[in-house]
Amino acid sequence: MSHAAADTEPAQPPPADDHAFFGQPRGLMTLSGLEVWERFSFLGMQAILVLYFADTVAHGGMGMEAGTAASVSAAYGTLVYLVSVAGGWLADRILGSYRAVLYGGILIACGHYAMAVPTDAMTWVGLGLISAGTGLLKPNVATMVGKLYRTDDERRDAGFALYYMGINIGAFLGPLITGWLGDHASWHWGFSAAAFGMTLGLIQYVAGRRHLAGRKHAAEYALAPGPMRRAVLLIVVGAVVVAAVATALALAGWLTMDRFVDVLTLISVIAPVVYFVVMFRSPRVTAEERGRLRPYVVLFLASVVFNFILFQAYSTMMLLASTNARTEIFGFHFPASWYASALGAFEVLLAPVVAAVWAKMGPRQPHASNKIAIGVILGGLSFLLMVLPTSGHTGDTYKMAAWWIVGSYLLLGLGDILLETSGMSATTKLAPQAFASQTMALWFLSLALANGIQAQIVKLYGEVSNPAYFGVNGAVAVAAGVAVIAAAPWLRRTMHPVH
């Protein structure tokens, strides 16, 4: 089947008798395979990014202070999730899901290849391309998974479970490969592995495109030709103007790295505030829907607190592991970045266990708000656990046993499963009908805000003692989780459609 033919076919879901992939539609294998390689490349690169920033120039790094390295790494995450909000809109109105994911994947691969070139300039070019590409790809792959099923297809939940398992397989494998290459060859060889992984993902995505629903040329809710031309022109002109102004300010010495991080943090704060104000004031939102938005603000903030901790698994925790943790288990030595693989491994192993427990408990399982609260508390405990092995030590001379970091990631992985599954479900049910197609934007804005706050707080890493840093942040997260539990009676009343 030619590409052109694939683009012009109507977006019909595959027949209900398509059970080629573990009883699921064949297209799920294509999309899960893409996600394995996308997460392999994204988290494989992220596991070594902060170490590359903080490494000495003589050793092939960028020579940043630990706190600055973590801050810049967090700012990159902020940019990725802010762009994801635009990525969903572009797919809906201009590109269509198939092309948004394809172009996003190409940009990601080009970004990783750019980072494989050992110059500072190409590192920044690469990160920019990966941010734009991930923003196009990430919000739209899950949408394409949903399009594989008819509305009454009972396989949908099991299909998404398989898809998320693919995500975590990539999250597990990526840091193993990139970390080993970064440790034994060079950081840029690690970035090359990420580029190779994304290329493999793209090849199998294009090869399997005939099994995908919604791969037609036009966007599902495409703008009319006139508005579309104006929108494309506005996007191109806007991008050129922003790039030109940023370059001019950088050359004039005003746009320093610190100021760029501060601007991203400010945008990450303003964007969700504006989004919520628009929804609360919209005439298309009913009084009943407005009532359900109030508890969602609480869950949104809980997501911000948890993800503030979670994202540090790839920044401050990586820095701590590289300087103050033993990198051997049972006599086997490994790169510090391999610790990041533990998170993906725990999520692969624990997700089916959690699903089985909820199924067994049936109607007796905790309310969604309590699942989210427990997730936030577990995130806080993962940081509080770090207070014990870091107390009474200064500098980089002491080495904690590997099990401390692994134990911290176990708590974090379990917390992530509890919060992400319940949070995404609650988002789709609590969002007003007029904003139903933009529910993913809300979730990505909570992730952008978490990274934006992290970009400021992590500057303290290395400036204050490790027990103080991990202890205070962990205690704040635990307190936030307890506050959500305390609000449970009100949340149960106001989150009426959510159990």
Side-chain angles (χ1 to χ4, degrees), residues 407-432:
S408 175
Y409 280 4
L410 171 62
L411 293 170
L412 200 53
L414 181 56
D416 193 31
I417 292 166
L418 294 178
L419 184 130
E420 290 295 326
T421 51
S422 301
M424 280 301 299
S425 174
T427 299
T428 56
K429 290 173 183 173
L430 293 175

Side-chain angles (χ1 to χ4, degrees), residues 212-306:
L212 302 175
R215 62 188 184 275
K216 59 181 181 178
H217 186 76
E220 198 164 348
Y221 305 101
L223 296 171
M228 184 177 290
R229 279 193 296 273
R230 287 194 292 275
V232 171
L233 183 63
L234 189 63
I235 290 167
V236 172
V237 171
V240 170
V241 169
V242 168
V245 170
T247 304
L249 291 174
L251 291 173
W254 187 88
L255 188 61
T256 60
M257 184 53 66
D258 279 345
R259 281 184 177 147
F260 180 66
V261 170
D262 292 345
V263 167
L264 282 179
T265 297
L266 187 62
I267 294 171
S268 75
V269 172
I270 291 170
V273 170
V274 169
Y275 214 96
F276 275 114
V277 167
V278 167
M279 285 198 294
F280 272 112
R281 292 186 174 178
S282 172
R284 294 183 297 162
V285 175
T286 66
E288 185 185 349
E289 289 175 329
R290 207 167 281 117
R292 289 200 296 266
L293 263 182
R294 293 187 185 95
Y296 185 70
V297 173
V298 175
L299 303 187
F300 179 91
L301 294 174
S303 168
V304 172
V305 172
F306 175 79

Side-chain angles (χ1 to χ4, degrees), residues 325-408:
R326 292 179 196 152
T327 49
E328 65 167 285
I329 293 180
F330 303 130
F332 174 74
H333 291 266
F334 58 89
S337 51
W338 276 23
Y339 278 113
S341 287
L343 195 55
F346 284 134
E347 296 206 21
V348 169
L349 295 171
L350 292 173
V353 176
V354 170
V357 169
W358 296 150
K360 180 85 173 167
M361 292 181 74
R364 293 178 293 110
Q365 62 185 284
H367 187 259
S369 64
N370 281 338
K371 291 178 185 176
I372 290 168
I374 294 166
V376 176
I377 290 170
L378 287 170
L381 290 176
S382 76
F383 260 33
L384 287 177
L385 184 64
M386 290 296 96
V387 174
L388 299 174
T390 58
S391 293
H393 303 286
T394 54
D396 297 338
T397 53
Y398 74 97
K399 301 286 181 185
M400 70 180 85
W403 303 111
W404 287 107
I405 305 266
V406 171
S408 175

Side-chain angles (χ1 to χ4, degrees), residues 5-56:
D7 277 346
T8 53
E9 286 181 356
Q12 292 295 326
D17 60 355
D18 181 1
H19 295 83
F21 180 59
F22 294 107
Q24 300 292 329
R26 200 172 288 130
L28 186 65
M29 180 171 69
T30 300
L31 296 174
S32 297
L34 176 67
E35 271 290 14
V36 168
W37 289 112
E38 189 276 332
R39 288 291 94 180
F40 172 95
S41 64
F42 184 83
L43 294 176
M45 185 272 283
Q46 201 158 15
I48 61 173
L49 183 64
V50 73
L51 301 178
Y52 163 64
F53 283 156
D55 202 1
T56 60

